[in-house]
Amino acid sequence: MKYRYGELTWPEVKEAAAAKRVAVVPIATIEDHGHHLPIDTDLRLCNAVCEAAVARAADRAILIPAINHGYSPHHMDFPGAITIGAHTLIDYGVDVCTSLAHHGFDTILIVNGHGSNTPFIDIIARLAVVKSGVLAAAVNYWSAPGVREVAERLRESEKVGGMNHACEFETSLYLAIAPDLVDMSKARHELSHRPTENYWTDLVAGDGPLVMMEHWSSLSETGVMGDPTKASAEKGRALLEAAANGIVALVDEMRARVRAPRVDRH
Ligand SMILES: [Zn+2]
């Protein structure tokens, strides 16, 4: 069964929408990921998770081509980053959702692979709901159900900060997906974001209540935040499996959700 949106013919798109398949929209960015990982890390990892998820739920989900570029202005001190303005990114994401809604898809799950897209995917999903009347939601793939448990079990890096960016988590996934593009001889442990009482950041342990994002070049020398030296392909395969299953669980939860009509109570 075809599950990649772009490979469908238009009559097949019509059928997919009529079958209430959930439109899964990956979104990521292109930016520095240390000396050992390619700049496409967020995009490749997010695509791999979504591909694995939708492939195993092809009867009830459809994989939309990813929104490749995201919000990365704080990474522009490192060669490679391509950043999209906040408003442009929101408008772009909403336009994708609006188009899908126009063709009859009534459930949309935005799956994000880049931490700094987080506030924007929330807004995109909210706007899709109010503008198009669809059920839209957003999730960071590392926060999909089941991922945290696996990551905590496998974790060898620092409990807070060791899994952050180009870290044990992301490097493991890349090793599982495309090991030839990872140069582990250049992987460096770097934990230089200076956590304080209410500020810390970690993909798995979560962020502290003080949410802030400084320029990446003031936080990291190599671009790494965390410990990629603890990465392995085996860990990556387990994380990929957990993330894919977690996305499938979200697809099913959204499909099962009871839709109640909007009511004007003036
Ligand atoms: Zn990343």
Side-chain angles (χ1 to χ4, degrees):
M1 191 172 192
K2 287 189 197 172
Y3 61 86
R4 297 187 193 103
Y5 187 79
E7 295 178 359
L8 304 182
T9 63
W10 72 257
E12 288 170 338
V13 170
K14 192 174 164 181
E15 284 169 20
K20 305 284 182 204
R21 288 165 77 178
V22 176
V24 174
V25 183
I27 180 169
T29 204
I30 300 287
E31 67 182 23
D32 56 281
H33 275 77
H35 293 249
H36 66 295
L37 284 178
I39 56 174
D40 77 347
T41 296
D42 289 349
L43 180 61
R44 188 178 292 255
L45 270 43
C46 188
N47 266 327
V49 167
C50 291
E51 173 90 24
V54 178
R56 64 187 69 174
D59 58 332
R60 52 202 196 279
I62 191 86
L63 180 63
I64 309 303
I67 297 174
N68 292 351
H69 300 302
Y71 186 76
S72 299
H74 48 300
H75 279 266
M76 294 302 277
D77 289 335
F78 290 87
I82 292 177
T83 187
I84 303 300
H87 299 279
T88 307
L89 182 60
I90 292 168
D91 286 345
Y92 192 120
V94 172
D95 283 352
V96 170
C97 294
T98 304
S99 299
L100 292 166
H102 178 79
H103 300 309
F105 292 95
D106 67 355
T107 310
I108 299 170
L109 177 60
I110 301 163
V111 179
N112 180 37
H114 168 52
S116 291
N117 283 346
T118 305
F120 304 106
I121 58 166
D122 181 10
I123 293 171
I124 291 166
R126 286 166 184 265
L127 286 172
V129 171
V130 296
K131 288 181 77 160
S132 299
V134 295
L135 183 65
V139 66
N140 293 327
Y141 77 78
W142 54 87
S143 300
V147 178
R148 171 186 283 215
E149 290 77 2
V150 172
E152 281 175 349
R153 178 167 55 76
L154 298 173
R155 177 175 211 138
E156 292 178 88
S157 58
E158 292 84 353
K159 198 167 165 35
V160 175
M163 290 185 166
N164 218 320
H165 180 89
C167 54
E168 182 184 14
F169 190 103
E170 287 190 317
T171 306
S172 293
L173 275 169
Y174 215 122
L175 284 170
I177 295 161
D180 292 351
L181 292 172
V182 184
D183 185 350
M184 285 303 283
S185 72
K186 292 183 175 165
R188 295 287 177 273
H189 175 220
E190 194 173 349
L191 205 71
S192 52
H193 71 291
R194 305 183 302 282
T196 48
E197 192 177 354
N198 288 294
Y199 166 72
W200 64 86
T201 170
D202 188 274
L203 287 177
V204 176
D207 294 343
L210 188 60
V211 176
M212 61 180 176
M213 181 53 71
E214 298 157 280
H215 285 281
W216 205 254
S217 58
S218 69
L219 300 170
S220 174
E221 182 79 28
T222 62
V224 170
M225 207 186 273
D227 191 359
T229 68
K230 300 289 195 301
S232 74
E234 197 181 341
K235 288 179 187 174
R237 283 189 286 273
L239 290 168
L240 181 63
E241 181 69 13
N245 286 336
I247 298 301
V248 171
L250 296 177
V251 162
D252 289 336
E253 188 167 331
M254 290 185 79
R255 267 171 65 91
R257 182 161 180 81
V258 174
R259 315 282 170 109
R262 182 181 176 185
V263 181
D264 187 346
R265 302 192 202 274
H266 286 94

